[in-house]
Amino acid sequence: MTTPRQASRGDAGDSRRDGKVRVLVTGAGGPAAIAAMKSLRADESVELIAADMDPWASGLYLVPAGARTLIPAGAAPDFTEVLLTRCLTLGVHVVVPTVDSELRPLAHAREAFAVVGIGLLLAPAAALDVILDKLALVQRCASVVRTPRTELFGPAVDPASWEYPVIVKPRTGSGSRGIITVGSAAQLAALDRSPTLIVQDFLPGEEYSVDVLADASGHVIASVPRLRARVDSGVSVGGRTVHDPEVERFGRAVAEATGVTYVANVQCRRDAYGRPALLEVNPRMPGTLGLTIASGVDMPRLALAALLGRPLPAELDFRETAVVRFLDERFLDPADILSIELTRS
Ligand SMILES: Nc1ncnc2c1ncn2[C@@H]1O[C@H](COP(=O)(O)OP(=O)(O)O)[C@@H](O)[C@H]1O
Ligand SMILES: [Mg+2]
């Protein structure tokens, strides 16, 4: 496990002597980062730094001006290098990535961060390799939970062998992009095949999003299922956490099978017989984390405690809670937005 450096270097060391842990949260414009920052700022020992590629990212303005920083996109070739340099300049001890495109590059650069004492709140690269490939994920989990029949959409797929509808979706997709529901064998046969796509049994039932908290060695401490009540333009605007031992066990089993650490989000949906079956795993904090925190499991704070090697409870329960969500506003001097450009260098 990577543990943040001891008081050994420049201002970072100074801040640890102050008892402060400087935590940089990426993707500050997204709901996951905002939920994480709301949780972590309640901890007096934490000093937050908000990072994003866009000066208009709302979460930047939840922290003081000196704690806002612009970084490249996760897919940029210099992403990890620039982030590491920035972390050293700002005396960061822990990075919390919340953007999908950042996860793999960061996991592969973990050692470069570790040698200067910076910890990443991020699953091991080996777990990410499985989780971010929806075919590999199904294969990995098939022996521990129910998984829908899933095949690469290559020449070997026999449309006559499937029951319809089926789902065709990107093997490494996110954000519900490129998902097609296919109603018949003729329709499937007419689609262009590609090794970047998978075919999957359609799961017709209720969908759950299960937030899972695991310690640094992958031991699962909490599994909190959420049901979506209302979705507006793809964004969950109403939902509730539910006690369902079968779904809770499901989230736990998938997390353990993949070796995910800290916070992950397991998605499943009931099949035609009402049995939960695996959709996918998001190996990072989800945008709906606020509900899980309100349900009594403060995953960002607990995950940070796990990374810092502090003791955690072996298991945590939650109380059923509902949420309604809305957009909120901060009014700023326009110069605040423009001046942040300066932190690019
Ligand atoms: N096999 C399936 N059966 C039914 N619905 C599906 C299936 N696969 C995906 N979906 C629907 O599409 C949404 C997005 O799919 P998902 O696999 O989670 O990909 P993404 O990474 O884009 O979120 C799911 O939340 C679900 O509503
Ligand atoms: Mg999904």
PDB file of all heavy atoms in Angstrom, residues 134 175-176 207 267 280 282, ligand 2:
ATOM      1  N   LYS A 134     -15.582  -4.554 -19.990  1.00  0.00           N
ATOM      2  CA  LYS A 134     -16.833  -5.179 -19.530  1.00  0.00           C
ATOM      3  C   LYS A 134     -16.901  -6.677 -19.826  1.00  0.00           C
ATOM      4  O   LYS A 134     -17.605  -7.405 -19.127  1.00  0.00           O
ATOM      5  CB  LYS A 134     -18.029  -4.424 -20.110  1.00  0.00           C
ATOM      6  CG  LYS A 134     -18.190  -3.070 -19.428  1.00  0.00           C
ATOM      7  CD  LYS A 134     -19.278  -2.198 -19.989  1.00  0.00           C
ATOM      8  CE  LYS A 134     -19.185  -0.839 -19.300  1.00  0.00           C
ATOM      9  NZ  LYS A 134     -20.027   0.179 -19.846  1.00  0.00           N
ATOM     10  N   GLY A 175     -20.791   6.492 -19.414  1.00  0.00           N
ATOM     11  CA  GLY A 175     -21.766   7.555 -19.626  1.00  0.00           C
ATOM     12  C   GLY A 175     -22.919   7.148 -20.522  1.00  0.00           C
ATOM     13  O   GLY A 175     -23.519   7.996 -21.178  1.00  0.00           O
ATOM     14  N   SER A 176     -23.236   5.861 -20.565  1.00  0.00           N
ATOM     15  CA  SER A 176     -24.351   5.333 -21.372  1.00  0.00           C
ATOM     16  C   SER A 176     -24.211   5.644 -22.861  1.00  0.00           C
ATOM     17  O   SER A 176     -25.192   5.625 -23.593  1.00  0.00           O
ATOM     18  CB  SER A 176     -25.705   5.870 -20.866  1.00  0.00           C
ATOM     19  OG  SER A 176     -25.991   5.298 -19.620  1.00  0.00           O
ATOM     20  N   GLU A 207     -32.998  -1.693 -11.623  1.00  0.00           N
ATOM     21  CA  GLU A 207     -31.542  -1.487 -11.652  1.00  0.00           C
ATOM     22  C   GLU A 207     -31.063  -0.927 -10.312  1.00  0.00           C
ATOM     23  O   GLU A 207     -31.675  -0.014  -9.760  1.00  0.00           O
ATOM     24  CB  GLU A 207     -31.208  -0.515 -12.786  1.00  0.00           C
ATOM     25  CG  GLU A 207     -29.727  -0.323 -13.005  1.00  0.00           C
ATOM     26  CD  GLU A 207     -29.418   0.373 -14.340  1.00  0.00           C
ATOM     27  OE1 GLU A 207     -30.160   0.174 -15.328  1.00  0.00           O
ATOM     28  OE2 GLU A 207     -28.423   1.113 -14.374  1.00  0.00           O
ATOM     29  N   GLN A 267     -22.850  -1.888 -10.523  1.00  0.00           N
ATOM     30  CA  GLN A 267     -24.209  -1.745 -11.074  1.00  0.00           C
ATOM     31  C   GLN A 267     -24.755  -3.094 -11.493  1.00  0.00           C
ATOM     32  O   GLN A 267     -24.066  -3.883 -12.139  1.00  0.00           O
ATOM     33  CB  GLN A 267     -24.185  -0.787 -12.272  1.00  0.00           C
ATOM     34  CG  GLN A 267     -23.794   0.611 -11.830  1.00  0.00           C
ATOM     35  CD  GLN A 267     -23.736   1.612 -12.970  1.00  0.00           C
ATOM     36  OE1 GLN A 267     -23.882   1.270 -14.137  1.00  0.00           O
ATOM     37  NE2 GLN A 267     -23.478   2.860 -12.615  1.00  0.00           N
ATOM     38  N   GLU A 280     -22.033  -3.557 -14.638  1.00  0.00           N
ATOM     39  CA  GLU A 280     -20.668  -3.031 -14.726  1.00  0.00           C
ATOM     40  C   GLU A 280     -20.208  -2.540 -13.353  1.00  0.00           C
ATOM     41  O   GLU A 280     -20.997  -2.479 -12.398  1.00  0.00           O
ATOM     42  CB  GLU A 280     -20.581  -1.885 -15.738  1.00  0.00           C
ATOM     43  CG  GLU A 280     -21.335  -0.648 -15.315  1.00  0.00           C
ATOM     44  CD  GLU A 280     -20.697   0.635 -15.837  1.00  0.00           C
ATOM     45  OE1 GLU A 280     -19.535   0.629 -16.295  1.00  0.00           O
ATOM     46  OE2 GLU A 280     -21.367   1.681 -15.737  1.00  0.00           O
ATOM     47  N   ASN A 282     -17.942   0.770 -11.682  1.00  0.00           N
ATOM     48  CA  ASN A 282     -17.194   2.023 -11.833  1.00  0.00           C
ATOM     49  C   ASN A 282     -16.177   2.065 -10.686  1.00  0.00           C
ATOM     50  O   ASN A 282     -16.579   2.171  -9.525  1.00  0.00           O
ATOM     51  CB  ASN A 282     -18.136   3.225 -11.764  1.00  0.00           C
ATOM     52  CG  ASN A 282     -19.084   3.244 -12.954  1.00  0.00           C
ATOM     53  OD1 ASN A 282     -18.644   3.235 -14.097  1.00  0.00           O
ATOM     54  ND2 ASN A 282     -20.375   3.216 -12.696  1.00  0.00           N
TER      55      ASN A 282
HETATM   56 MG    MG B   2     -23.098   2.448 -15.883  1.00  0.00          MG
END
